Amino acid sequence: MALERWFRRKRPTRSDDNSPAGLWLKCDECNAQIYRKDLEKNLYLCTECGHHYKMPADARVAMLADAGSFERWSGTIKGADPLAFEDTEPYVKRLERAAERQKRPDAILTGAASLQGEPVALAVMDFFFAGGSMGSVVGEEIARAAERAAREGRSLVTVAASGGARMQEGALSLMQMAKTTVALEALSRAKLPFISVLTDPTTGGVTASFATLGDIIVSEPQALICFAGPRVIQQTIKQDLPEGFQRAEFLLQKGMLDDVVTRPNLKARLALYLSLLRGTLTPTATAAVGGEPGGAAV
Amino acid sequence: MALERWFRRKRPTRSDDNSPAGLWLKCDECNAQIYRKDLEKNLYLCTECGHHYKMPADARVAMLADAGSFERWSGTIKGADPLAFEDTEPYVKRLERAAERQKRPDAILTGAASLQGEPVALAVMDFFFAGGSMGSVVGEEIARAAERAAREGRSLVTVAASGGARMQEGALSLMQMAKTTVALEALSRAKLPFISVLTDPTTGGVTASFATLGDIIVSEPQALICFAGPRVIQQTIKQDLPEGFQRAEFLLQKGMLDDVVTRPNLKARLALYLSLLRGTLTPTATAAVGGEPGGAAV
Amino acid sequence: MALPFEKPIDDLSDRIEDMRAYASEQNIDLSEEISLLEGRLERLQHDVFENLTRWQRVQVARAPGRPTALDYIQSVFETFTELHGDRTLGDDSAMVTGLALLGGRSVVVIGQQKGRDTKENIGRNFGMAHPSGYRKAMRMFNMADKFGLPVVTLIDTPGAYPGVAAEEQGQAWVIAESIQRMSQLKVPAVAVVIGEGGSGGALAVGVANRVLILENAIYSVISPESCAAILWRDASQAPKAAEALKLTAGDLLELGVVDGVIKEPVGGAHRDPQATMRCVGARLEEELGALSSLSETELLEQRYARFRNMGRLESVT
Amino acid sequence: MALPFEKPIDDLSDRIEDMRAYASEQNIDLSEEISLLEGRLERLQHDVFENLTRWQRVQVARAPGRPTALDYIQSVFETFTELHGDRTLGDDSAMVTGLALLGGRSVVVIGQQKGRDTKENIGRNFGMAHPSGYRKAMRMFNMADKFGLPVVTLIDTPGAYPGVAAEEQGQAWVIAESIQRMSQLKVPAVAVVIGEGGSGGALAVGVANRVLILENAIYSVISPESCAAILWRDASQAPKAAEALKLTAGDLLELGVVDGVIKEPVGGAHRDPQATMRCVGARLEEELGALSSLSETELLEQRYARFRNMGRLESVT
Ligand SMILES: [Zn+2]
Ligand SMILES: [Zn+2]
């Protein structure tokens, strides 16, 4: 689990860094040598096989928000250290270092945007900040985004990427599951859509709270999505796990997702969902229905 | 399927009659010879092994209603023959014969009663009438009972026993599934409990409508409860069915029932449910809770 | 692929084609003869199709090439986007659900999907849904209510699947729940029986404000084959059972089970799917338009009354 | 059965018993000595139990003989009647649900049940619920809302079960749903952490208006063992992790995660289950009494505010 790695790592060196760095990269999936700049230009998809790499939060926002439309909301609050937590290093130190590197106070980036013209609130988790773990700040920013979206008549789109709860905040991090969940109520009452996008990996407390409460839930291909991680389960059952277990395609079959959508198609798909749910879609050819059957996309 | 038997039988003789008849009976379960009068006195339970035999509707009412409290509602309507249905014999003839034998116009007996003091509407199906099949009359009587219960502030207790839909009424019998279901809405709105008792057998359209919509659903031991009958399924899968498949105990494990309750315990159990749901139970020793822990029954 | 009673029609068609070919080949004028035969063909088609027995209609309702739910969805609706899964048990491909536009209006659409060929038929379990399918439909009912979207259901199933897992997962329970949930929709709901309306498995998504049926579709409490097996211990008596069950569009309209019948092109929907689908699309738009003027309460009361009043009774004298 | 740190207490108890026996046997008067030792025992007990380390409290929270949910249900509640099944997936015995009387009031009670011995523990899956358990709890929330019955939940689980079927059936989905459903209850809800409050599996039934915890119970985002395994790659560092996680009743009260701590008898609940259960019963009645004066809206708002405000933040300067 990525969260584990984050904790074990005292001072990340360039090579074991999760974030794309270094000029070249060998694809996990197809072994091709990829030029990192090409990867970045290609929505963090392998240029050879299309494998979906983790996408930085800013790049995600740039991909989803209409050009120039994003207005950041998050960033005015940062984590406290309610437990005075210290393992091999104090929690505050870890937070400081992550904040400096990721240029944000915690593992979340929220803001207002338009998405193919649809007014939305975006809440994008930053996996490269503490493994996308959810503590008080992540929970609060998501709750605020949901509430503000409701006030402003925006739909909510979250993009999850998380190793789970932020254990250095103890039970308070657990409570973020309830906090984010109750905040969604405001949107529901306003009958505003909430679409949840799950990316690799979405685990633990994030999966077991807001991220699976979307009116529509989609995932990127091959994403690991789970409550308990595969290693924990393997330790419990002491058997090999089924092929594809806890991956997006598997969960689609199990009825847990509305669809698996590739990154290049994601924005258009979200726009379609939002406009259909809000009744704002202009039919491309209203007359076609009564006349010649139109070429509907399925 | 009992329904099948009912149709194939032109003129039932004493021996293949579903209803208890004849002086002695050999128990299906334990092979004991039972004196039929003893069976009747014993709530239609085998005097040796307790096997639950089908119970006539009147006996069921006598068992559940407080003495002298039952006031019959059903009996003022009878079946029409909307399809002019005729197989080996016209439907109207079959209805007439069943009505004569069972002393009621169709496979249902409803009325008001008190059940350990709780005001209820009882709707008890009569399996010995056309295999308890549900046509317009059964559907209507159940719908009326539910609506009247709601008006009079009574809880509803149904006792299902049915071979399924009454196919001689075609699609109209299918529609009884919707009719009985929508009528339950009145009770729900009045926040009055609906408790459904499933007995052997409860199948097809009855299982797939009001009978499984109880706030609480209990079954008698070993009752066959299904949508599709075991034979139909066996023909489909061409394999042996699992042990105990579609029996009450099996369905309890599958999460489909609140409990399996033996006939001698049924009335007290229903009274307990009703009084707890309606908040009318007088604590036997309110003080006990704060003082010495009471001997609560589990 | 032709149904047995279509044979004379097909034969006559073939003869006309032959004659045309011959005329062209021999360069002689047979236009009068051809025109006569064409007139006869038209009369024959009308004779056959206006006098179909109930059992023949059952065969038309099940005919290969008859448009399936997804055909309608792709042809009648715009920008359909499928939503998968019931969030509980799985994703049932015999029950296709999603969002779409219909005449410029966002709707929730639910279709029971048979296969268009043998392979798809197996993949779709012949249109027989498992509990997961009904749970998915209920999820869509919730979504429709939440966002105020009308619901269109397309019914085409031999029935809910009779299998071990289906029973273990509470097939009866989930059908009852689906009937209940659909009856409580706060939005307009229109159901169209496009092929086979098989028993509870069809009704589970048929508790609509308006229930329509195609001219050659059927809706029945039991299949003619099963009915015959029970009544005469002989499934081959299905034609007799079909007569007895009164399961055709006309019968159902008379019984009050459906509110309207949508005409099919002469020869049945499978002879001209596009025309059939256009008719259905136009009718759906019309019905949704009419229902859109009703309030939540009116929709609920109308649906309640519609199903509450089903049945035929007599007073005991 | 004694916990390691209980050994000096047990030893001293044994010595007092020995001395009593000896005095009686020899017919000599040792009452002064015995009385001295008894005083020392009392001081020792207080010293040990008032200064338990967090790890020791974890051990008390998990101690054999500590009353389980069903013990409370049988002792504190009257006429409990268990309701089984989730109507979907099964009947999870790690989550016991039903109706009962509490102080003359009908309530819905939901208890996470560990076993009272090894056999029951295995049968109850060590109190680790599957999705079916949470679905059953949600069914009870629906029932509570429909009939206006207050909800009492008794929390005691190492966590939701981490297994293949559980994941396939959407363990995460159902926990999220349960959190959401419980937060929307229109009736008063009180949760008591009676033993282990293990992560999301506990919170799923912990979204109450009042959340109480027993003095020696714990409530944590992760077990000390797992936390240690992650932080120090060494599960035996659990005591250190327990310290760091601040998972005791006192810690949680300070963090605002719980609203109140219910005292246990000296030596812990397992030393005097009856007294413990009486305290819990009295407290539950008191809390439900207080909540009964709130309106639906007030209950919803209060619960919303309670969880919405969880967390510690600082402003970015
Ligand atoms: Zn690659
Ligand atoms: Zn016997």
Side-chain angles (χ1 to χ4, degrees):
Chain A
M1 298 276 295
L3 194 61
E4 247 169 89
R5 265 184 277 140
W6 188 73
F7 283 113
R8 287 181 191 161
R9 189 181 60 221
K10 258 208 97 152
R11 200 159 294 273
T13 63
R14 237 47 272 262
S15 66
D16 75 344
D17 192 340
N18 278 312
S19 67
L23 279 178
W24 291 89
L25 172 104
K26 193 176 168 198
C27 176
D28 295 342
E29 196 63 28
C30 71
N31 287 320
Q33 290 287 330
I34 325 162
Y35 189 46
R36 206 177 275 278
K37 288 266 183 221
D38 288 342
L39 188 75
E40 288 168 20
K41 272 186 273 180
N42 195 35
L43 300 174
Y44 296 83
L45 306 171
C46 172
T47 49
E48 295 302 310
C49 72
H51 179 68
H52 284 56
Y53 284 88
K54 292 178 182 66
M55 192 176 203
D58 301 276
R60 178 73 68 178
V61 166
M63 181 184 100
L64 293 179
D66 296 340
S69 74
F70 185 71
E71 177 210 329
R72 187 161 56 84
W73 290 347
S74 61
T76 63
I77 50 171
K78 63 175 187 175
D81 181 19
L83 273 50
F85 200 96
E86 184 163 352
D87 46 277
T88 50
E89 190 186 11
Y91 175 45
V92 284
K93 283 274 179 214
R94 286 187 187 279
L95 274 184
E96 271 170 29
R97 209 173 53 239
E100 198 177 305
R101 194 184 44 176
Q102 293 303 114
K103 311 270 184 285
R104 69 184 100 252
D106 214 304
I108 182 87
L109 172 59
T110 73
S114 72
L115 194 160
Q116 285 192 8
E118 287 288 329
V120 297
L122 289 177
V124 178
M125 298 189 75
D126 180 356
F127 188 77
F128 302 112
F129 191 118
S133 57
M134 179 163 69
S136 299
V137 175
V138 170
E140 182 69 21
E141 293 287 14
I142 288 168
R144 287 185 186 181
E147 289 168 336
R148 186 162 170 186
R151 280 199 306 277
E152 298 184 1
R154 297 175 180 278
S155 306
L156 176 65
V157 174
T158 64
V159 181
S162 174
R166 178 87 47 92
M167 70 181 146
Q168 295 97 327
E169 296 187 21
L172 285 180
S173 69
L174 180 65
M175 293 300 129
Q176 304 311 306
M177 292 168 64
K179 181 160 90 180
T180 54
T181 298
V182 300
L184 295 174
E185 187 61 16
L187 276 168
S188 269
R189 260 188 227 146
K191 299 193 179 296
L192 288 164
F194 164 33
I195 301 182
S196 173
V197 180
L198 311 181
T199 72
D200 185 59
T202 301
T203 71
V206 167
T207 322
S209 64
F210 74 92
T212 47
L213 292 170
D215 295 304
I216 294 178
I217 309 173
V218 294
S219 168
E220 291 194 330
Q222 285 297 317
L224 174 73
I225 303 162
C226 60
F227 178 62
R231 265 197 243 168
V232 174
I233 294 174
Q234 214 153 18
Q235 279 165 19
T236 310
I237 64 165
K238 306 201 189 313
Q239 279 177 15
D240 285 345
L241 296 174
E243 178 73 19
F245 184 62
Q246 299 182 325
R247 295 285 163 182
E249 293 73 12
F250 180 90
L251 290 163
L252 180 64
Q253 276 188 352
K254 295 293 172 192
M256 297 300 152
L257 303 174
D258 281 290
D259 216 344
V260 176
V261 183
T262 61
R263 201 169 285 165
N265 291 317
L266 189 59
K267 182 175 180 176
R269 183 65 77 82
L270 294 177
L272 182 59
Y273 291 151
L274 292 172
S275 57
L276 282 167
L277 288 176
R278 298 188 70 168
T280 52
L281 196 65
T282 315
T284 54
T286 318
V289 179
E292 207 56 38
V298 177
Chain B
M1 297 276 296
L3 193 61
E4 247 170 90
R5 265 184 276 140
W6 187 73
F7 284 114
R8 289 182 191 162
R9 191 181 60 218
K10 257 208 100 151
R11 201 159 293 274
T13 62
R14 225 78 243 274
S15 64
D16 74 345
D17 193 339
N18 279 312
S19 66
L23 279 177
W24 292 89
L25 173 104
K26 191 173 169 199
C27 177
D28 296 341
E29 195 65 27
C30 72
N31 287 321
Q33 289 287 330
I34 325 163
Y35 189 46
R36 207 177 273 277
K37 289 264 184 224
D38 288 344
L39 187 75
E40 289 169 17
K41 272 187 273 179
N42 195 36
L43 301 173
Y44 296 82
L45 306 170
C46 171
T47 49
E48 293 304 308
C49 74
H51 179 68
H52 284 55
Y53 283 89
K54 293 179 181 64
M55 192 177 203
D58 301 276
R60 178 72 68 177
V61 166
M63 181 184 100
L64 293 178
D66 296 340
S69 74
F70 185 70
E71 175 210 329
R72 188 161 56 83
W73 290 346
S74 60
T76 63
I77 49 172
K78 64 177 187 175
D81 182 17
L83 271 52
F85 199 96
E86 184 164 351
D87 46 277
T88 49
E89 190 186 11
Y91 175 44
V92 283
K93 284 273 177 216
R94 288 187 186 279
L95 274 183
E96 271 171 28
R97 209 173 54 240
E100 197 177 305
R101 193 184 47 177
Q102 293 303 114
K103 311 270 181 286
R104 68 184 100 253
D106 214 306
I108 183 85
L109 172 59
T110 73
S114 73
L115 192 159
Q116 284 192 10
E118 287 288 331
V120 296
L122 289 178
V124 178
M125 298 189 76
D126 181 356
F127 188 78
F128 302 113
F129 191 116
S133 57
M134 177 161 73
S136 299
V137 175
V138 169
E140 182 68 21
E141 294 286 14
I142 287 168
R144 288 185 185 181
E147 289 168 336
R148 185 161 172 187
R151 281 199 306 276
E152 298 184 1
R154 298 177 180 277
S155 306
L156 175 66
V157 174
T158 63
V159 181
S162 175
R166 177 86 50 91
M167 69 181 145
Q168 294 96 329
E169 295 187 21
L172 286 179
S173 69
L174 179 65
M175 293 300 129
Q176 304 310 307
M177 292 169 64
K179 180 159 90 180
T180 54
T181 297
V182 300
L184 294 173
E185 188 59 18
L187 276 167
S188 269
R189 263 191 223 142
K191 298 191 179 299
L192 289 163
F194 164 33
I195 301 182
S196 173
V197 180
L198 311 181
T199 72
D200 185 58
T202 300
T203 72
V206 167
T207 322
S209 63
F210 74 91
T212 48
L213 292 170
D215 296 305
I216 294 177
I217 309 172
V218 295
S219 169
E220 291 195 331
Q222 285 297 317
L224 174 73
I225 303 162
C226 60
F227 178 62
R231 264 197 244 168
V232 174
I233 294 174
Q234 216 153 17
Q235 279 165 17
T236 310
I237 64 165
K238 308 199 189 310
Q239 280 178 13
D240 286 345
L241 297 173
E243 178 74 19
F245 184 61
Q246 299 182 323
R247 295 285 163 184
E249 294 74 11
F250 179 89
L251 290 163
L252 179 64
Q253 276 188 353
K254 295 293 171 192
M256 297 300 151
L257 303 174
D258 281 291
D259 215 346
V260 176
V261 183
T262 61
R263 201 168 285 165
N265 290 317
L266 188 60
K267 181 176 181 176
R269 182 64 77 82
L270 293 177
L272 182 59
Y273 290 150
L274 291 173
S275 57
L276 282 166
L277 288 177
R278 298 188 69 169
T280 52
L281 196 67
T282 316
T284 54
T286 318
V289 179
E292 208 57 36
V298 176
Chain C
M1 297 271 283
L3 302 169
F5 54 88
E6 289 179 316
K7 201 163 179 309
I9 297 169
D10 287 347
D11 287 349
L12 189 52
S13 288
D14 289 350
R15 273 177 57 199
I16 295 171
E17 282 314 298
D18 281 352
M19 194 171 288
R20 275 216 184 83
Y22 181 76
S24 154
E25 201 184 293
Q26 303 291 327
N27 202 19
I28 51 175
D29 182 11
L30 294 173
S31 57
E32 204 170 326
E33 288 83 349
I34 289 173
S35 168
L36 270 171
L37 283 177
E38 281 178 339
R40 198 192 294 179
L41 176 64
E42 201 170 321
R43 261 172 288 130
L44 181 63
Q45 279 190 320
H46 275 274
D47 284 355
V48 168
F49 277 91
E50 270 163 25
N51 295 295
L52 287 182
T53 65
R54 292 190 171 90
W55 176 242
Q56 285 169 335
R57 284 200 201 271
V58 171
Q59 292 170 287
V60 176
R62 296 170 177 170
R66 190 176 174 84
T68 67
L70 270 176
D71 293 319
Y72 287 94
I73 288 171
Q74 289 168 30
S75 161
V76 169
F77 297 81
E78 266 196 282
T79 62
F80 171 66
T81 182
E82 185 167 357
L83 298 178
H84 291 274
D86 68 348
R87 302 285 183 274
T88 308
L89 294 165
D91 182 43
D92 191 338
S93 59
M95 186 85 76
V96 173
T97 69
L99 301 169
L101 277 188
L102 181 65
R105 204 190 301 266
S106 289
V107 300
V108 163
V109 57
I110 296 171
Q112 294 180 320
Q113 179 64 16
K114 293 181 177 180
R116 282 157 291 194
D117 52 44
T118 308
K119 196 182 155 213
E120 191 190 356
N121 230 337
I122 292 167
R124 304 277 182 189
N125 202 27
F126 302 87
M128 293 183 283
H130 279 78
S132 169
Y134 297 105
R135 290 199 183 279
K136 183 163 60 169
M138 285 192 275
R139 192 166 83 79
M140 291 299 126
F141 295 148
N142 291 340
M143 193 178 288
D145 259 349
K146 179 167 179 183
F147 295 104
L149 307 178
V151 173
V152 174
T153 65
L154 303 171
I155 294 174
D156 192 13
T157 180
Y161 186 66
V164 172
E167 290 285 321
E168 287 181 356
Q169 295 170 347
Q171 189 70 286
W173 278 252
V174 84
I175 289 172
E177 261 184 76
S178 187
I179 291 171
Q180 186 172 55
R181 181 63 192 85
M182 193 172 180
S183 77
Q184 293 165 352
L185 279 173
K186 295 179 212 147
V187 293
V190 178
V192 188
V193 185
I194 57 172
E196 263 186 294
S199 186
L203 178 63
V205 294
V207 190
N209 293 90
R210 298 284 288 171
V211 180
L212 308 172
I213 189 167
L214 282 180
E215 187 184 356
N216 293 308
I218 57 166
Y219 197 176
S220 181
V221 67
I222 188 169
S223 74
E225 292 87 345
S226 302
C227 180
I230 294 176
L231 293 182
W232 298 285
R233 302 190 194 211
D234 180 3
S236 73
Q237 301 278 355
K240 217 163 123 187
E243 279 307 309
L245 284 168
K246 307 265 192 298
L247 41 57
T248 67
D251 297 328
L252 295 161
L253 188 64
E254 208 169 285
L255 291 168
V257 170
V258 303
D259 304 302
V261 177
I262 303 174
K263 286 285 279 181
E264 296 183 20
V266 172
H270 61 295
R271 297 241 156 189
D272 192 347
Q274 293 305 327
T276 309
M277 295 193 283
R278 273 198 301 277
C279 285
V280 170
R283 184 63 176 270
L284 278 173
E285 281 190 53
E286 190 186 300
E287 299 287 352
L288 287 178
L291 290 172
S292 69
S293 64
L294 300 185
S295 70
E296 262 183 39
T297 312
E298 285 168 330
L299 287 167
L300 282 164
E301 281 172 2
Q302 194 260 324
R303 215 181 296 116
Y304 178 88
R306 189 188 186 289
F307 289 93
R308 178 64 186 82
N309 295 327
M310 289 281 173
R312 293 282 170 87
L313 307 166
E314 285 179 12
S315 287
V316 171
T317 43
Chain D
M1 297 273 281
L3 302 169
F5 54 88
E6 290 180 313
K7 199 160 182 309
I9 296 169
D10 286 348
D11 287 350
L12 188 53
S13 284
D14 288 350
R15 275 176 56 199
I16 295 172
E17 280 315 297
D18 280 353
M19 194 171 285
R20 274 219 186 80
Y22 181 76
S24 154
E25 197 184 297
Q26 302 289 329
N27 202 19
I28 52 175
D29 182 12
L30 294 174
S31 58
E32 204 169 324
E33 289 81 351
I34 289 171
S35 167
L36 270 171
L37 282 179
E38 281 177 337
R40 197 193 293 180
L41 176 64
E42 200 170 321
R43 260 172 289 129
L44 181 62
Q45 278 190 319
H46 275 273
D47 285 355
V48 169
F49 277 91
E50 272 164 23
N51 295 295
L52 286 183
T53 65
R54 292 190 170 90
W55 176 243
Q56 285 169 335
R57 285 198 200 271
V58 171
Q59 293 171 285
V60 176
R62 297 169 177 171
R66 189 173 175 87
T68 67
L70 270 176
D71 293 319
Y72 287 94
I73 287 171
Q74 289 167 31
S75 162
V76 168
F77 296 80
E78 266 195 283
T79 62
F80 171 66
T81 182
E82 186 168 356
L83 298 178
H84 292 275
D86 68 348
R87 301 286 183 272
T88 309
L89 295 164
D91 182 43
D92 191 339
S93 60
M95 186 85 76
V96 173
T97 69
L99 300 169
L101 278 186
L102 181 65
R105 202 190 302 266
S106 288
V107 300
V108 162
V109 58
I110 296 170
Q112 295 179 318
Q113 179 64 16
K114 292 180 177 181
R116 281 156 292 195
D117 52 43
T118 308
K119 196 181 155 216
E120 191 190 355
N121 230 338
I122 292 167
R124 303 276 182 191
N125 202 28
F126 302 88
M128 293 183 283
H130 279 77
S132 170
Y134 297 105
R135 290 199 184 278
K136 182 162 62 169
M138 285 192 276
R139 191 166 82 80
M140 292 297 126
F141 295 148
N142 291 340
M143 192 179 288
D145 260 349
K146 178 167 180 183
F147 295 103
L149 307 177
V151 172
V152 173
T153 65
L154 303 170
I155 294 172
D156 192 13
T157 180
Y161 186 66
V164 172
E167 291 285 322
E168 287 181 354
Q169 295 170 346
Q171 189 70 284
W173 278 254
V174 83
I175 288 172
E177 262 184 75
S178 187
I179 290 171
Q180 186 172 54
R181 181 65 192 84
M182 192 172 181
S183 78
Q184 293 165 350
L185 279 173
K186 295 179 211 147
V187 293
V190 179
V192 189
V193 186
I194 58 172
E196 263 186 294
S199 188
L203 178 63
V205 294
V207 190
N209 293 91
R210 298 284 288 172
V211 180
L212 308 171
I213 189 167
L214 282 179
E215 186 183 358
N216 293 309
I218 58 167
Y219 196 178
S220 182
V221 67
I222 189 170
S223 75
E225 291 87 344
S226 301
C227 180
I230 293 177
L231 293 181
W232 299 285
R233 304 188 192 213
D234 180 3
S236 74
Q237 301 278 355
K240 217 162 122 187
E243 279 305 310
L245 284 167
K246 308 263 192 302
L247 42 57
T248 67
D251 296 328
L252 295 162
L253 188 63
E254 210 169 283
L255 291 169
V257 169
V258 302
D259 304 301
V261 177
I262 303 173
K263 286 284 279 181
E264 295 183 21
V266 172
H270 60 297
R271 297 242 153 188
D272 193 346
Q274 293 305 326
T276 308
M277 295 193 284
R278 275 197 300 278
C279 286
V280 170
R283 183 63 176 271
L284 278 173
E285 283 191 52
E286 193 185 296
E287 299 286 354
L288 287 179
L291 290 172
S292 69
S293 65
L294 299 185
S295 70
E296 262 183 38
T297 313
E298 285 168 330
L299 287 167
L300 281 163
E301 281 173 0
Q302 194 260 322
R303 213 180 298 117
Y304 178 88
R306 190 188 184 289
F307 289 93
R308 178 63 186 83
N309 296 326
M310 289 281 173
R312 292 283 170 87
L313 306 166
E314 285 179 12
S315 287
V316 171
T317 43

